[in-house]
């Protein structure tokens, strides 16, 4: 789940970078516009992935804590 969320968040970051720098929305271009149903699904999944990634900030990394044993 974490890897999927990170991939979706990266897609969102790249898309927002394109919007900010070139005024080009790649998701809308691929899926038929910002209001197209599938574009809205992608935007929603990216938003949910970003929210999930917030939880990564507050989790303990068990692998580094147990690496000495």
């Amino acid at each position: 789940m974490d890897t999927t969320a990170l991939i979706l968040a990266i897609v969102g970051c790249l898309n927002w970078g394109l919007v900010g720098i070139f005024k080009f929305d790649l998701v809308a271009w691929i899926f038929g516009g910002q209001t197209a149903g599938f574009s809205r699904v992608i935007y929603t999944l990216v938003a949910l992935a970003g929210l999930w990634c917030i939880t990564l900030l507050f989790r303990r990394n068990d692998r580094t804590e147990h690496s000495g044993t």
Side-chain angles (χ1 to χ4, degrees):
M1 181 71 150
D2 292 345
T3 303
T4 303
L6 285 172
I7 290 169
L8 285 170
I10 290 168
V11 167
C13 292
L14 293 173
N15 193 59
W16 274 110
L18 288 171
V19 170
I21 296 169
F22 301 112
K23 295 182 183 176
F24 179 71
D25 187 340
L26 183 63
V27 172
W29 182 75
I30 292 173
F31 298 111
Q34 289 182 337
T35 58
F38 202 68
S39 292
R40 294 182 63 198
V41 168
I42 297 297
Y43 296 139
T44 303
L45 289 174
V46 168
L48 292 171
L51 291 173
W52 182 265
C53 287
I54 291 171
T55 66
L56 297 176
L57 294 171
F58 302 103
R59 289 195 217 158
R60 295 172 62 186
N61 191 349
D62 292 332
R63 285 178 274 183
T64 58
E65 291 178 13
H66 298 304
S67 62
T69 59

